[in-house]
Amino acid sequence: MNGELAELFRERLAAAGGLAELAASHDEALSLIRRWAGDRPALVDDHPDLKGLELAGERPADPWDAEVGVTGVLGAAADTGTLALGPAPGRPRGTAVLPGTHLAIVPLSRLYGDYAELIAALGRLDPMPSGMQLVTGPSRSGDIESAMIQGMHGPRAVRVAVYPDA
């Protein structure tokens, strides 16, 4: 695992209010996701990186009732702690923004050194997703008096498991 790149991602995501942990394997990354999700109601994307993930919490009938959303990523930027998500069948945009907690899994092969590298990699995707979300930590918004509110337009917590995949 490129420890320096993963450590930079962990530091930058922490500066944005999120949490990243470095796992030794894909199985260990899935174990982190299970531990973080607990038995809370969860939405889980149909993503190849999440294959084998079984959660204790049930999938709610109404997505608005989910407390946790679990996603894979198109890529991530270490220098900003940013995740790039793209909708696809079985991967609705709401998984990352409706629940109060967003959990993501990032293989090291899709962790880029900087934001420009991430954007260049996304530009080479074929087919190109119909839309993308760029997520850097928990949702934050400031009101007219600059009072910062967390979780206004998305999750209040973002946790990411980074693992070596090659």
Side-chain angles (χ1 to χ4, degrees):
M1 179 190 286
N2 183 337
E4 291 177 13
L5 199 59
E7 182 60 25
L8 177 62
F9 177 78
R10 189 194 65 73
E11 289 172 7
R12 297 299 169 86
L13 182 59
L19 171 82
E21 287 194 32
L22 314 178
S25 66
H26 180 253
D27 286 342
E28 187 178 309
L30 293 179
S31 290
L32 285 171
I33 298 292
R34 283 185 203 97
R35 181 168 48 96
W36 293 335
D39 62 357
R40 296 180 289 170
L43 301 175
V44 179
D45 275 357
D46 180 13
H47 192 283
D49 295 339
L50 298 171
K51 185 176 180 177
L53 180 66
E54 300 272 339
L55 296 179
E58 292 187 21
R59 181 179 182 89
D62 184 343
W64 289 94
D65 293 334
E67 294 178 24
V68 175
V70 184
T71 69
V73 301
L74 297 172
D79 71 333
T80 58
T82 300
L83 303 171
L85 311 171
R91 299 181 213 163
R93 182 178 182 271
T95 303
V97 297
L98 293 179
T101 299
H102 175 202
L103 307 178
I105 187 167
V106 176
L108 194 57
S109 65
R110 280 185 253 136
L111 180 58
Y112 299 92
D114 63 43
Y115 193 79
E117 288 177 64
L118 171 63
I119 297 301
L122 295 174
R124 292 188 296 270
L125 292 175
D126 185 25
M128 181 69 67
S130 62
M132 289 187 208
Q133 294 167 268
L134 298 173
V135 177
T136 306
S139 166
R140 292 176 305 279
S141 183
D143 69 8
I144 197 163
E145 295 178 12
S146 298
M148 195 57 66
I149 299 170
Q150 199 161 344
M152 178 64 108
H153 303 290
R156 291 175 298 284
V158 173
R159 291 184 175 186
V160 179
V162 180
Y163 70 96
D165 61 330

